[in-house]
Amino acid sequence: MYLCSRNLNAIKMREKFRMIIALLLLLPTAVNAEKLVFTTVWTAQAEFAGYYVAKEKGFYKDLGLDVVIQHPTLTSSAFQRLQTDQCDAAIFSMLSAIDFISQGIPLVNIFQDSMNSSNILVSRWCMNPMQMKGKKVSIFNSNPNYLLMCMSKKEGLNYNWIPFSSGINVFLSGAVDATMVVSYNEFIELQQAGFQMPEEYLYRFSEHDYNIQENGVYVKRDYFLTHRSAISKFAMASRRGWEWTASHPEEALEIVMKYVKKHNISTNRVKQKLMLREILRLQVDRDSKQREFRVRADMVNKASRLLFDCGIIRREVSYNELMGNH
């Protein structure tokens, strides 16, 4: 009886030992995973679906990355978080990044998820926006409306700027004559509100000589030089996340809604579905008809020249500088 008990204890000890060994074999992946803190440009929504998917599907983890996704607040923007080292990477528009770099803030693009401009100027009173000289136009106060400012100056429209934080209430109330919106957000809200928007009263920047790529992921140059492997892995996994999203939009939407609920964002599934559809459309390059996830040198040159000619930046920024190749 004693021997049987001792044998049973030995067996139990061996099983525990095997379990410990198995856990130890799993530890290197977790311990060696490199942490990368990433801040989006706005609150949780379908605009960032590909990154959520890469996180939830384990695409970052598969490459040895522990990616932490943050969202900015009204008191802590993506730029502030990057500047104060609260994050390693952040999303900015190409125009914003060029402006920052021209001011002596060295940023480098590590991943590009936008290939086209989403900006639309919507008229309130059934007027052609190009014939509204001196009229009141509401603009986002969270990020400079570079394209609208440049267009107003180049076309001699001299709009009267009325800043707003978000939403469409200022515009619908009649307090302004036109408003700047993006096709994947406020434009959808106007449609859902039943506001009539005939094409002749819209100015789609992408349909004119202002089609400039928007959101990309940027890091500070010193991080770029010292974390090449992590940056490469982040770009690979993020692309995989967006490609999976394009192939599985309904499943990706479920992941988006998980983040929306987690962060208590006031929205609805219908809007997020429409947003995701538009974001995926904007990712397709007009020339190649493909999702390329790359910065186009011609658009960098166009954006830099536009900002310089309009006096927003004091020097032009090159493609090589934006990509960290200098």
Side-chain angles (χ1 to χ4, degrees):
M1 190 74 176
Y2 173 74
L3 289 174
C4 290
S5 176
R6 188 168 63 178
N7 289 338
L8 183 60
N9 289 334
I11 292 171
K12 289 180 177 180
M13 288 297 293
R14 282 197 296 270
E15 288 300 319
K16 287 182 179 180
F17 182 74
R18 290 194 188 100
M19 290 178 64
I20 291 171
I21 293 297
L23 289 172
L24 287 174
L25 289 173
L26 294 175
L27 280 178
T29 301
V31 170
N32 295 331
E34 186 168 3
K35 186 175 182 179
L36 188 153
V37 182
F38 165 55
T39 303
T40 67
V41 73
W42 195 241
T43 54
Q45 56 185 18
E47 181 181 3
F48 315 116
Y51 305 109
Y52 299 152
V53 165
K55 172 75 173 179
E56 296 301 311
K57 288 292 180 179
F59 299 160
Y60 293 128
K61 185 179 180 181
D62 289 346
L63 295 179
L65 286 182
D66 175 18
V67 173
V68 178
I69 300 177
Q70 297 180 341
H71 298 88
T73 65
L74 292 176
T75 57
S76 180
S77 68
F79 180 69
Q80 290 172 329
R81 293 188 183 203
L82 187 64
Q83 277 292 84
T84 56
D85 295 321
Q86 295 179 62
C87 68
D88 303 306
I91 292 179
F92 303 118
S93 71
M94 178 183 287
L95 290 164
S96 292
I98 289 174
D99 187 9
F100 293 145
I101 294 170
S102 74
Q103 295 176 46
I105 303 167
L107 298 179
V108 177
N109 179 289
I110 63 169
F111 183 74
Q112 185 70 28
D113 65 56
S114 163
M115 296 302 292
N116 300 283
S117 173
S118 66
N119 286 271
I120 304 174
L121 183 60
V122 182
S123 167
R124 180 71 177 81
W125 310 115
C126 293
M127 292 178 64
N128 184 333
M130 299 298 286
Q131 299 175 350
M132 299 174 64
K133 187 174 183 178
K135 296 294 185 179
K136 292 183 289 185
V137 177
S138 55
I139 60 173
F140 307 116
N141 62 10
S142 58
N143 193 37
N145 294 114
Y146 297 100
L147 281 184
L148 183 55
M149 292 176 179
C150 289
M151 187 271 275
S152 176
K153 185 170 184 177
K154 287 188 69 175
E155 306 297 335
L157 295 170
N158 300 314
Y159 290 136
N160 178 18
W161 308 121
I162 308 297
F164 75 104
S165 57
S166 64
I168 57 176
N169 291 337
V170 171
F171 176 68
L172 290 180
S173 70
V176 294
D177 303 297
T179 188
M180 188 68 160
V181 301
V182 292
S183 60
Y184 57 83
N185 198 347
E186 294 84 8
F187 191 72
I188 292 173
E189 291 180 359
L190 287 172
Q191 291 175 319
Q192 290 185 322
F195 185 78
Q196 298 300 309
M197 295 177 286
E199 280 295 319
E200 58 266 34
Y201 306 132
L202 304 178
Y203 187 89
R204 296 179 183 271
F205 285 76
S206 61
E207 301 301 323
H208 299 273
D209 195 30
Y210 298 98
N211 189 31
I212 294 173
Q213 291 173 279
E214 295 179 344
N215 286 350
V217 181
Y218 292 82
V219 297
K220 291 192 288 188
R221 183 168 175 78
D222 57 354
Y223 186 89
F224 174 76
L225 294 174
T226 56
H227 294 76
R228 294 294 184 98
S229 177
I231 286 169
S232 177
K233 292 174 182 177
F234 176 84
M236 289 173 61
S238 295
R239 177 167 185 155
R240 185 181 174 192
W242 277 114
E243 289 174 340
W244 192 94
T245 297
S247 300
H248 307 81
E250 288 299 326
E251 293 175 64
L253 183 61
E254 291 295 332
I255 294 174
V256 168
M257 296 310 296
K258 172 183 174 180
Y259 277 76
V260 164
K261 292 174 182 176
K262 177 182 177 181
H263 294 279
N264 299 312
I265 304 301
S266 178
T267 185
N268 58 73
R269 186 184 180 86
V270 173
K271 179 188 174 183
Q272 293 303 312
K273 183 174 183 176
L274 293 172
M275 179 184 290
L276 180 57
R277 182 187 302 169
E278 178 63 6
I279 287 292
L280 292 174
R281 185 188 73 82
L282 292 169
Q283 289 182 346
V284 177
D285 183 79
R286 289 189 173 188
D287 295 334
S288 69
K289 311 302 181 186
Q290 302 293 323
R291 286 189 173 81
E292 298 188 8
F293 303 103
R294 70 178 179 94
V295 174
R296 288 182 47 157
D298 60 327
M299 289 199 185
V300 175
N301 295 335
K302 178 194 290 188
S304 187
R305 170 56 61 176
L306 183 65
L307 293 175
F308 180 76
D309 288 346
C310 291
I312 295 176
I313 60 176
R314 293 186 178 182
R315 71 169 183 87
E316 292 190 54
V317 173
S318 70
Y319 169 80
N320 283 336
E321 187 174 4
L322 190 76
M323 301 304 294
N325 301 324
H326 79 294

